[in-house]
C-alpha cells in the first residue's frame, strides 16, 4: 500500500499530455462491469456497449422480475453473437436491503425540521409524514440519535432525491424521525440505510435463493454478487447453497462489502470469496467521507496480494445524466486503476443513464491512460516480497513469465490453462501487456453424459485485469503432446495477429505445460 503507484520515469512534458492517445486493440486492460436495464437492454445498445468495452453484464434483482431480466439476457446473447465479443454474466442479489414502499408511485416531498414516521405496515400509503418499510425489526435495531438515510443518492449521487433522518423516538414498531434536509422522493422504491446498525436479516434471503435456483441455474451465471456480505460465513453459506445447483458449482462468488461489519471482517471474507466488490455507495454512508479512500486503498491492496479481483463501484455518477464526467470523477477512475483495481462497476450510469455507451467508452479511455503510468516495477517487487520465498512452482512460473515479457518488451503473453488459475496468477503480477488466456477444455462426465468444461473459465477471466480469453479446440486435451501444443499456439498467434495485437518481428512470451513441466519461452515472430 506504500510507495508511489504512479510511474514517472522522467518529468512528463506537459505538451505530451495534449498529444492524442494511440488507438489500441483493447480499450483498456482494466475491465468494465455494466448494469443492464431500462436504457441498456436493446440488442443495438448492448452491441454498442460490447464494442465500447463492456466485459461483464450485471443483472440487478433489486428491481424487475425474472421475465424482464431474461429478455435482457436473451438480447445480450444475440449481441454477443453479432459482435463476436465475449461477455460474462453477474447476478446481483438483493440481500438484507431495507426499502421504503410507495405503492402510488407519487412523488413524496419531505421538509427539513419536520417529523416523519417509519412504519412496517406496508398496507398504509406513503405520505410526507408516514413512510411504510419492508422490515418489522427496525424499531428494535435503532435508538435515539441514530442516522437513517433514504433515497436515490446511492444510485444517482443527487442530494435532492435523498433525505437524512435522525431517530427521535420509538413507538412500538414505528420509528419517529426528524428530517434533516428537504428532498423529494420519486418512484416506487427507495433504499433505506441505517448507518452502522446491524439489520437482523439473512445475507442470502429466501427470494435471492429462489432467483438463483431458477433464473441463475437456467442461465449458468458466471458470477454471484453477494450483497451486504458481513462475515466469511455468509460466503460459505452461499457457496454451499449453489454447490447443490448443478453447473453453478463453478459460479464464482464476489463478496460485496457495503457496511462497517463487512469492513471489520474483511480479511476472513477475502479468504473465502473469489473476488471483492467495494460498494462505495453504502460504504460512503457507513464511513466518514475522509475514511472511504483509506478503506479502498487497503482493500484493493489486500485483494492484489491475494491474487483475487477487486471491483470498485460509484465512479462516474454524473454521467447518469451528463455526457462527460466531472474532473474529480475522471481522476477517481484513474486512481482506482493506479491502486490496482481489476474492474470498474457501473450501476445507474448504464442501467438507466442517458449515455450508457459513452460512459463505458469514457471510463475505458481513462483506465487506459492510467495503465500507461502504472508503476509495474514497484508493484512487481512488492508482490514478490509479499509472496516470499520459497515460491510455489506455479507462482514462480507466473512471475517469471511477466518479468521476461517486460524485459524483452513482448507484445503479449500467451498462457495455456484449463482451470484458469495459471492465467490469474500471471495477471496477479500486473503485466504491462495483454495476456491471451487460452483455455483448454477438459472432458468430464456425470455417468449419464460427457461434457466439456472451459466456457465458464474463459468467461470468468473477463473480470480480471489484463486477461483476454479464447477457448481452444476441445479435441486438444489439457495434458497434451508437444505437437498439439504447437498447433494451439499457432491458433493463438493467428488470433493475436488478426486482432492487431501481434505484428511481424514482435516478441511473444508463452507459458504452457509440456508433460509434467511448466515452461516459459520467448518466441520472435518472422515476417
Amino acid at each position: 500500500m506504500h510507495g508511489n503507484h504512479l510511474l514517472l520515469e522522467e518529468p512528463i512534458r506537459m505538451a505530451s499530455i495534449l498529444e492524442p492517445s494511440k488507438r489500441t486493440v483493447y480499450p483498456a486492460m482494466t475491465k468494465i462491469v455494466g448494469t443492464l436495464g431500462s436504457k441498456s437492454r436493446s440488442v443495438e445498445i448492448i452491441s454498442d456497449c460490447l464494442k465500447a468495452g463492456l466485459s461483464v453484464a450485471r443483472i440487478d434483482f433489486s428491481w424487475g422480475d425474472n421475465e424482464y431480466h431474461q429478455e435482457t439476457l436473451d438480447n445480450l446473447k444475440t449481441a454477443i453473437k453479432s459482435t463476436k465479443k465475449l461477455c460474462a454474466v453477474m447476478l446481483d442479489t438483493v440481500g438484507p436491503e431495507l426499502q421504503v414502499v410507495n405503492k402510488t408511485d407519487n412523488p413524496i416531498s419531505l421538509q427539513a425540521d419536520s417529523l416523519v414516521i417509519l412504519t412496517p405496515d406496508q398496507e398504509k400509503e406513503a405520505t410526507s409524514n408516514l413512510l411504510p418499510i419492508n422490515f418489522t425489526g427496525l424499531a428494535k435495531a435503532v435508538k435515539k440519535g441514530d442516522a437513517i438515510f433514504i433515497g436515490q443518492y446511492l444510485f444517482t449521487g443527487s442530494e435532492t432525491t435523498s433525505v437524512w433522518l435522525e431517530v427521535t423516538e420509538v413507538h412500538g414498531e414505528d420509528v419517529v424521525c426528524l428530517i434533516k434536509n428537504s428532498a423529494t422522493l420519486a418512484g416506487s422504491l427507495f433504499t433505506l440505510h441505517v448507518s452502522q446498525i446491524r439489520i437482523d436479516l439473512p445475507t442470502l434471503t429466501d427470494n435471492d435463493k429462489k432467483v438463483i435456483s431458477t433464473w441463475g441455474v437456467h442461465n449458468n451465471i458466471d458470477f454471484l454478487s453477494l450483497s451486504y456480505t458481513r462475515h466469511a460465513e455468509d460466503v460459505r453459506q452461499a457457496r454451499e447453497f449453489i454447490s447443490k445447483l448443478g453447473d453453478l458449482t463453478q459460479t464464482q462468488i464476489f463478496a460485496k462489502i457495503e457496511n462497517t461489519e463487512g469492513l471489520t471482517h474483511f480479511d476472513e471474507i477475502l479468504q473465502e470469496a473469489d473476488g471483492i466488490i467495494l460498494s462505495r455507495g453504502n460504504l460512503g454512508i457507513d464511513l466518514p467521507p475522509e475514511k472511504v479512500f483509506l478503506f479502498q486503498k487497503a482493500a484493493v491492496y489486500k485483494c492484489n496480494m491475494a491474487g483475487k479481483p477487486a471491483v470498485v463501484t460509484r465512479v462516474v455518477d454524473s454521467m447518469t445524466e451528463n455526457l462527460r464526467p466531472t474532473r474529480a470523477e475522471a481522476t477517481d477512475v484513474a486512481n482506482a486503476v493506479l491502486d490496482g483495481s481489476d474492474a470498474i462497476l457501473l450501476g445507474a450510469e448504464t442501467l438507466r443513464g442517458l449515455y450508457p455507451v459513452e460512459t463505458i467508452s469514457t471510463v475505458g479511455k481513462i483506465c487506459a491512460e492510467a495503465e500507461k503510468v502504472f508503476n509495474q516495477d514497484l508493484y512487481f517487487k512488492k508482490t514478490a516480497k509479499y509472496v516470499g520465498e520459497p515460491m510455489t512452482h506455479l507462482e514462480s512460473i507466473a512471475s517469471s513469465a511477466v518479468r521476461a515479457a517486460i524485459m524483452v518488451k513482448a507484445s503479449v503473453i500467451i498462457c495455456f490453462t484449463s482451470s484458469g488459475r495459471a492465467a490469474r496468477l500471471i495477471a496477479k503480477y500486473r503485466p504491462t501487456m495483454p495476456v491471451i488466456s487460452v483455455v483448454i477444455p477438459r472432458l468430464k462426465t456425470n455417468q449419464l453424459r460427457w461434457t466439456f468444461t472451459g466456457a465458464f473459465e474463459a468467461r470468468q477471466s473477463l473480470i480480471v485485469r489484463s486477461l483476454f480469453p479464447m477457448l481452444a479446440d476441445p479435441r486438444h486435451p489439457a495434458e497434451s503432446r508437444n505437437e498439439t501444443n504447437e498447433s494451439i499456439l499457432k491458433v493463438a498467434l493467428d488470433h493475436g495477429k488478426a486482432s492487431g495485437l501481434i505484428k511481424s518481428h514482435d516478441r511473444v512470451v508463452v507459458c504452457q505445460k509440456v508433460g509434467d513441466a511448466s515452461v516459459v519461452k520467448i518466441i520472435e515472430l518472422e515476417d
Side-chain angles (χ1 to χ4, degrees), residues 43 56 70 87 108 115 120 156 174 192 215 226 234 246 252 312 314 327-328 330 365 380 391 442 449 461 490-491:
V43 174
V56 180
Q70 189 60 54
C87 187
I108 303 164
L115 296 177
T156 64
D174 293 347
L192 180 148
W215 193 92
L226 192 61
D234 294 340
Q252 290 187 351
V312 173
R314 300 300 300 275
R327 290 84 177 154
K365 287 175 184 174
F380 187 97
M391 277 185 174
R442 289 175 296 179
R449 64 190 178 107
S461 63
K490 185 180 183 306
V491 172

Side-chain angles (χ1 to χ4, degrees), residues 22 61 71 76 96 113 143-144 194 198 207 288 293 303 330 332 404 427 452 496:
K22 293 176 183 174
F61 273 84
E71 191 179 309
L76 171 66
D113 299 326
K143 62 184 185 303
K144 185 176 180 180
V194 188
R198 177 179 170 80
N207 189 57
F293 86 95
C303 289
D332 186 32
F452 284 106

Side-chain angles (χ1 to χ4, degrees), residues 320-332:
T320 305
E321 295 176 352
N322 300 297
L323 199 48
R324 287 165 62 91
T326 66
R327 290 84 177 154
E329 286 172 336
T331 305
D332 186 32

